Amino acid sequence: MHLHAGAVRDDHSVLLVIGSSFAGKSTLVAKLVAEGWRYLSDEQVGVTPDGKILPYPRPITLRRNSWPLFDHLAHVEVPTDSDDAADRFELSPTVLGTIDHSSPSRPTLVICPDAASEAFYVEPLTTAETLELFVRNSLDLERAADVGIEAMLALAASAPGYSVGGQDLDQKLQALVELAGKAEAPGEPVEHTIVADDEAGVRVEGALGWLFIDGSGAVYEPVTGSLVRFDESGYRSWQSLGLAERDWPEGLAGSGFVAELTEAGLLHGGDA
C-alpha cells in the first residue's frame, strides 16, 4: 500500500509528513533534510502489512517561491526553458543532504503541515484523526482492503499525530525536533468491533469500529472507504445501532451522529 506522504529520519526518530497537495509537505521535508535529517521521500511512501514505511527517494519537488528559503540552493541553476519554469522544479535530495537507504521502519511521529496558515500553531491529533489522515491520503487502499486498514492501524498505534501550521520553517523545525524528542506511541485500540454477516439491524455488514486509548473512535466501511470519527460515547452508541431502534439510547435516532453515519453509508436508512 502507498500513502501520499513524505518522510525523513535521524538516528532516533522517523517523521512521516502527510497531507494534501499544497499543504507544504515537500518544503518541510526539504528543510528537515537541509538541517541534517536523512531523506526517505517527499511524495510517496510504501507501507508494509505490519505498519512500517518504505522509502521512495525520488527527486524533491520545490516550487520557485520556496527556493529563497534554502541557502543550499543559492548557486543551483534554475531551468527557464520550460512551460512550468515559473512554478516547480525537481531537485536531487543530495543537493540538500543525505538519502537514507535503511530497512523499513515504523514512524515515531506523524505531521500534518498547514502552510496556508499565517499563524504558527501546533495541535495534537487524536488517534482517530491520524487514522483518518492515512485513509484520506492513501493511494490504493481499495486494492489493499483489510490488509491496508490493518497496516494503517499499526501506523496510527506507533506514532502520535500533530497538525503544524505557519509559514516560518525555522519555527516549525524547532517544534518538530521538540515533538520528536518526547513522542510516545499511542498504543493499540482498546476495543475493536466487526459487524458480523448475521447481525440483524441497520449497521452495515463488514463495517469495522475501533475505540482508542485516548477516547477517540472511528468506524470504517472497507468496500466504499467511508470513515467517520467520534468519541467514546459515539463508539458505545454505534455498538447499539445493530439492535432495533426501540432499543437505542434515548435521543440517538435523531442525533447528528446517526445522520453522519447514514450519510457516509455506514448505517442503512431504514427506520433510522
Side-chain angles (χ1 to χ4, degrees):
M1 190 185 65
H2 303 84
L3 293 176
H4 182 210
V8 296
R9 71 175 302 159
D10 65 5
D11 293 338
H12 308 287
S13 304
V14 179
L15 271 59
L16 185 64
V17 183
I18 187 167
S20 59
S21 297
F22 299 99
K25 293 190 304 299
S26 294
T27 304
L28 183 55
V29 165
K31 178 66 173 178
L32 287 161
V33 174
E35 294 296 327
W37 292 73
R38 300 190 296 275
Y39 180 73
L40 297 174
S41 180
D42 80 320
E43 176 68 21
Q44 175 177 297
V45 296
V47 182
T48 65
D50 60 348
K52 295 178 181 178
I53 60 173
L54 297 160
Y56 176 48
R58 64 177 300 283
I60 298 177
T61 302
L62 289 177
R63 290 179 172 80
R64 177 186 286 273
N65 59 8
S66 68
W67 278 50
L69 302 174
F70 300 93
D71 294 337
H72 298 65
L73 306 182
H75 303 293
V76 175
E77 185 176 347
V78 179
T80 57
D81 57 352
S82 62
D83 293 338
D84 61 352
D87 184 24
R88 44 195 282 165
F89 307 94
E90 290 192 337
L91 179 75
S92 171
T94 56
V95 174
L96 297 172
T98 305
I99 297 175
D100 190 280
H101 296 287
S102 58
S103 58
S105 54
R106 291 187 186 276
T108 53
L109 190 66
V110 176
I111 298 299
C112 180
D114 175 14
S117 173
E118 294 186 3
F120 171 75
Y121 71 86
V122 176
E123 293 181 355
L125 303 175
T126 66
T127 308
E129 287 174 326
T130 302
L131 178 62
E132 183 184 39
L133 266 180
F134 297 151
V135 170
R136 192 167 64 235
N137 291 282
S138 168
L139 300 177
D140 49 7
L141 180 57
E142 68 283 355
R143 176 185 59 79
D146 290 351
V147 175
I149 197 66
E150 290 297 329
M152 289 184 175
L153 282 168
L155 284 177
S158 66
Y162 290 87
S163 178
V164 179
Q167 300 175 7
D168 187 324
L169 279 179
D170 291 321
Q171 195 173 27
K172 287 199 281 191
L173 178 66
Q174 181 179 353
L176 296 188
V177 171
E178 293 175 358
L179 290 173
K182 62 182 181 181
E184 296 183 4
E188 301 292 332
V190 295
E191 291 192 32
H192 177 200
T193 300
I194 304 175
V195 180
D197 292 343
D198 60 351
E199 185 163 354
V202 296
R203 287 193 299 171
V204 175
E205 293 177 358
L208 310 172
W210 305 277
L211 177 62
F212 300 103
I213 196 169
D214 60 6
S216 65
V219 171
Y220 175 73
E221 202 285 294
V223 175
T224 63
S226 299
L227 185 140
V228 171
R229 292 185 290 104
F230 43 81
D231 58 15
E232 183 172 358
S233 62
Y235 179 83
R236 305 295 181 198
S237 297
W238 176 73
Q239 287 182 308
S240 72
L241 294 177
L243 308 174
E245 186 174 344
R246 63 177 179 275
D247 298 323
W248 291 3
E250 184 177 354
L252 185 60
S255 69
F257 169 72
V258 165
E260 187 175 359
L261 286 171
T262 304
E263 183 178 354
L266 293 165
L267 189 67
H268 294 301
D271 296 334

